[in-house]
Amino acid sequence: MTLLSIEALEVRYGAVPALRGVSVTVGAGEAVALLGANGAGKSTLMKAVIGLVRPAAGRILFDGRPLEGLRADRRARMGVGYCPEGRRVFAGMTVRENLLVACWGGGRQRAQRIDAMFAMFPALAARQGVLAWQLSGGQQQMLAIGRSLMDAPRLLLLDEPSLGLSPLLTDEVLGRIPAIVAGGTAVLLAEQNAAKALGVCSRGVVLKLGQVAAEGRAADLAASDEVRAAFLGG
Ligand code: ATP
């Protein structure tokens, strides 16, 4: 079943076109890698889905319903989760508080969700009373992801979680994606690190200068010269 359907999306910043006729789908229970170099349009696509930028043309359907005209908070309540680039955790709040403020549910649901997050990110469970600024970069990224999962979204838009992380921590963070999907949340993962992203996703879409340059099964893309060319800007 198609959960997210983006059709012929156009986004401009003033006169600058950021997305030019981009179509992408994400199925329920699927992780899709959105690849591309700096400035290719990955963040813009995610912002259009959550409602932070307004498309000039095209359609975005979530679970068959058009998102056009809905505010970001309404989209979130429909089940669209968003973890923006740059792990914006609440630095002066504890790990536990960071998670709790992101849950709209009642007491029982909050307790269940926080348990689920600590099971998914054991490093956070061990540091739940620690202030977020005291966490390592990798732990902050896991907290940012955990926070965006607190309301059990049906889709998570995960923007460049490896930014600024060591290769080892990148593996650890991206390595959680199959568990997120197994927990019932489909993932659209924006990454510059193509090889690693394709390693944890079943499909991939490569953006280049605001257009889809290639797409297909993760294994096929990982072996493709075209993908290498797109990343090298050739
Ligand atoms: P990055 O990995 O650097 O985040 P990206 O693939 O996510 O890159 P976008 O951030 O979506 O790319 O940017 C796509 C294009 O839109 C780029 O040319 C960028 O310079 C431009 N752009 C992005 N945000 C703005 C903005 N607020 N105002 C003007 N132009 C913007």
Side-chain angles (χ1 to χ4, degrees):
M1 187 198 93
T2 302
L3 189 57
L4 176 70
S5 178
I6 298 173
E7 298 166 10
L9 195 67
E10 308 262 344
V11 177
R12 294 183 203 109
Y13 295 104
V16 180
L19 294 176
R20 299 180 289 157
V22 170
S23 298
V24 174
T25 61
V26 180
E30 189 179 39
V32 176
L34 185 63
L35 308 172
N38 222 335
K42 307 180 297 297
S43 298
T44 298
L45 184 139
M46 296 200 160
K47 287 177 185 169
V49 175
I50 193 64
L52 296 179
V53 299
R54 187 193 289 259
R59 295 214 310 167
I60 305 175
L61 303 176
F62 181 69
D63 204 13
R65 295 162 67 189
L67 293 182
E68 195 188 319
L70 300 179
R71 288 188 342 207
D73 61 324
R74 180 83 189 91
R75 299 181 195 207
R77 280 171 197 261
M78 286 168 70
V80 183
Y82 176 48
C83 187
E85 201 174 57
R87 44 186 126 100
R88 295 173 212 167
V89 294
F90 299 118
M93 290 166 68
T94 65
V95 166
R96 195 179 181 85
E97 287 165 349
N98 263 276
L99 294 172
L100 286 175
V101 293
C103 193
W104 279 318
R108 191 150 151 228
Q109 191 189 345
R110 286 153 74 93
Q112 277 172 354
R113 292 306 297 161
I114 211 158
D115 286 350
M117 288 310 108
F118 287 149
M120 190 173 298
F121 303 107
L124 296 182
R127 311 205 70 194
Q128 50 182 293
V130 169
L131 296 176
W133 69 266
Q134 295 175 306
L135 299 176
S136 69
Q139 288 168 349
Q140 286 187 12
Q141 183 62 68
M142 289 184 206
L143 180 56
I145 296 172
R147 202 176 54 186
S148 58
L149 291 171
M150 276 301 280
D151 272 314
R154 299 171 67 199
L155 171 71
L156 174 63
L157 307 166
L158 184 50
D159 196 353
E160 206 110 14
S162 74
L163 198 72
L165 297 185
S166 69
L168 203 68
L169 284 173
T170 297
D171 289 343
E172 204 175 316
V173 169
L174 294 185
R176 298 285 76 211
I177 287 176
I180 294 170
V181 173
T185 300
V187 174
L188 181 61
L189 167 69
E191 262 296 336
Q192 287 192 41
N193 194 329
K196 291 193 176 188
L198 291 171
V200 293
C201 292
S202 51
R203 279 197 305 120
V205 177
V206 181
L207 291 184
K208 189 178 178 187
L209 297 174
Q211 291 185 305
V212 175
E215 62 184 308
R217 293 192 324 135
D220 296 340
L221 285 179
S224 148
D225 289 341
E226 202 181 348
V227 173
R228 290 201 192 96
F231 280 108
L232 293 172

